[in-house]
Amino acid sequence: MKKSTHIAKDLLCLVLLCVATAACKDNDYDLTHIDSTVGVGSEVLEIPTSSTKYITLDDVLELKGNDLVKTDPATGYYYMDKADDRVAPINITVPESVSGTSGDTQNTITLPETPVSSFGSVTIDNAPEFLSDDNTVLKLDNPQFILTVNSNLPAGATIAGDLCSFDEMGKKIATVHVDGVRVEDNSTSVICICRHADGIDADEYTQVKEISNLHEIMPVVPHRITFDATVKPDAVAAGAVTPGRTYTLRPKLRFTAPLTFQEGSTIVYSFVENEWNRDFEKISYTDDAYIMATLDADNGIPAEMEVTAIPVDVNGKEISKDKIEVSVIQKVAASPDGVTRVVTPITLKMTENSQRAMYLLDGLKFTFKGHPAAGIQLNSRTQTLRLNDIKIYFIGKLAVDMNK
C-alpha cells in the first residue's frame, strides 16, 4: 500500500478510512484521540473533532524514481532539469577555392552554411505521475533550454532551427521555431533560450534569447525534445581561415525550468487505496443511511484542489454510482501566493444506493486535479495543507457485525 501522503488522500482517504474503522497501515498523521463510543445506539453517530499536522508538498508529490523534477536543497523549490551531452560535432569545411594570404584583412569571404544538424536532444524516461497523467495540461511559465557551443571557428555564427517534442511512439507533439541564436568565434558560448528573461541572470550567459511561445513545446511531458538547426557563419577576413580546413562546433543541450505555471494549467494524480473489504463487509445500512464528514481545509499551497473518488471492488473494478456513490462538495481554494493561507469548508458523503452494496467495497480510486496559481513556484517545504475540525457522521441506523 502506498504511503498516505497525497492531497486527495488527505481529503478523502484519511476521513473515510476512519469511517471504515480501519486506518491506512502506514498513516503517520497526527490525529487527536477519537472516542468511537460517542452516540452509539442513536440514528446519528458523531466522531469527535480531530485535525492533521501540517502536510508539506514534499509529503504530497511522489518524486521517487523520476528523472525530471528536482528539489533545490537550499530553498526547497521544485525545478525541472534534464540534459543529454551525446551530440555529434558539427563541422564546417573551408572550400579549397578560398583565396587570400595570412594577414589579409582586405578581402572577406562567406563560409558555407551547414545543412540541418542536431544541436542536442533531451530524453525524459520517468516523469512524475502528477505531470504525466493523460488529463494534465502543462503551461510552464518559463521553460529554458541552455545551449552550450564550443567553437574553434574564427568567425561568429547565427543558429536557426526548430525545437521539436515527441511522445514515446515517436509522434511529434509540437514544434517551436528558434532563430537569432549567436555563437561567438573561438570560444565557448552559453545561450539561454527562454520564454521571458525575468529572473534570469544575464551575466551567466553570452546571450539570453527570448521566444515568447516557447512553452508550447511542452503541452504535456514529452519523451524526447530535439533541437535541429543550421549554422550560418559571419563573413570573415580571407586570411583568417585556411582553405580546406575543417572547423568544429561542439554543442550540448540542457532543459530546465522552475516548477511554475501559467493560468490554465492542470496537474493530475490518480491512485487506488484498497484492502478495506474486510472492514466494510461488517457494516449493514438501513434505508437512506449514509456516511458524511465535514472539515476545514487550511491551505497554503498555491493550487486549487479538485478531488473525486470512485469506489472499487476486490477485483479493482469500479463500482457504479447506482450501488455506491462518493461525493466531495466544494473545492479547496488556492493560496494566492504560497504564503497567505485560505480556509475552505469541505463536505464529503458516501451513500449506499442499493441494498448490501457496501459489502462490495474494497477501496476508492482517487483523482486529484490541481490548478496551480499563475507565476508561483511550488515549494516542497514551505507550502502546506492542514485539515482542521474533522467531524465524521453516520447518518441513519447501521449495524456492525464484529463476528465476520
Side-chain angles (χ1 to χ4, degrees), residues 62-95:
E62 178 59 65
L63 297 183
K64 184 177 180 181
N66 96 96
D67 66 349
L68 177 62
V69 178
K70 312 290 190 298
T71 305
D72 186 318
T75 65
Y77 282 108
Y78 290 112
Y79 65 98
M80 298 180 176
D81 195 86
K82 195 69 169 65
D84 189 348
D85 297 338
R86 296 170 294 179
V87 186
I90 297 167
N91 297 321
I92 298 176
T93 301
V94 181

Side-chain angles (χ1 to χ4, degrees), residues 342-404:
V342 179
V343 177
T344 305
I346 304 294
T347 301
L348 306 96
K349 183 178 180 181
M350 183 160 63
T351 305
E352 183 182 54
N353 291 331
S354 66
Q355 191 174 12
R356 298 176 63 85
M358 206 64 75
Y359 290 157
L360 303 174
L361 186 68
D362 189 55
L364 293 175
K365 177 183 179 181
F366 296 92
T367 299
F368 153 64
K369 288 187 178 181
H371 307 290
I376 308 298
Q377 188 171 357
L378 297 185
N379 188 285
S380 63
R381 298 195 295 262
T382 64
Q383 297 167 3
T384 61
L385 173 72
R386 182 179 171 92
L387 307 181
N388 294 321
D389 199 22
I390 301 172
K391 295 180 181 178
I392 303 169
Y393 305 89
F394 292 91
I395 309 298
K397 295 182 179 180
L398 69 156
V400 180
D401 184 356
M402 301 308 295
N403 294 319
K404 286 193 175 181

Side-chain angles (χ1 to χ4, degrees), residues 112-318:
E113 182 174 327
T114 68
V116 175
S117 304
S118 172
F119 275 79
S121 64
V122 175
T123 301
I124 301 168
D125 292 315
N126 297 292
E129 291 183 65
F130 74 94
L131 293 179
S132 55
D133 185 272
D134 289 342
N135 295 309
T136 297
V137 179
L138 287 185
K139 294 184 178 181
L140 290 174
D141 178 68
N142 198 19
Q144 299 156 43
F145 290 88
I146 311 303
L147 178 64
T148 302
V149 182
N150 180 277
S151 172
N152 66 356
L153 188 70
T158 301
I159 297 172
D162 291 328
L163 282 164
C164 297
S165 55
F166 302 86
D167 64 18
E168 287 189 318
M169 303 302 294
K171 181 180 179 181
K172 184 179 290 187
I173 298 172
T175 300
V176 173
H177 185 68
V178 177
D179 57 20
V181 174
R182 291 291 300 166
V183 174
E184 304 299 327
D185 63 285
N186 279 310
S187 63
T188 298
S189 300
V190 184
I191 304 101
C192 178
I193 304 169
C194 57
R195 178 173 171 258
H196 60 75
D198 297 344
I200 293 176
D201 186 355
D203 292 338
E204 295 183 3
Y205 305 100
T206 54
Q207 182 189 14
V208 176
K209 176 65 179 178
E210 293 182 308
I211 304 293
S212 61
N213 67 330
L214 188 60
H215 64 285
E216 294 176 2
I217 196 65
M218 204 171 183
V220 296
V221 176
H223 176 61
R224 188 183 299 271
I225 302 173
T226 63
F227 183 35
D228 295 334
T230 59
V231 181
K232 184 177 182 180
D234 298 339
V236 62
V241 295
T242 302
R245 178 177 173 180
T246 297
Y247 296 91
T248 303
L249 284 72
R250 299 181 183 278
K252 296 180 181 179
L253 186 67
R254 180 168 68 93
F255 168 73
T256 187
L259 202 58
T260 307
F261 300 90
Q262 300 178 62
E263 185 175 355
S265 296
T266 301
I267 56 179
V268 181
Y269 185 73
S270 296
F271 63 94
V272 174
E273 186 63 59
N274 57 1
E275 298 183 5
W276 303 358
N277 188 255
R278 62 182 179 273
D279 297 296
F280 268 97
E281 68 175 0
K282 301 171 184 177
I283 301 175
S284 299
Y285 291 79
T286 60
D287 292 341
D288 300 324
Y290 60 92
I291 299 169
M292 185 178 73
T294 61
L295 59 118
D296 289 332
D298 178 8
N299 188 27
I301 298 173
E304 181 186 66
M305 302 173 195
E306 180 183 350
V307 183
T308 59
I310 299 174
V312 296
D313 63 20
V314 292
N315 297 314
K317 294 183 178 180
E318 295 182 4

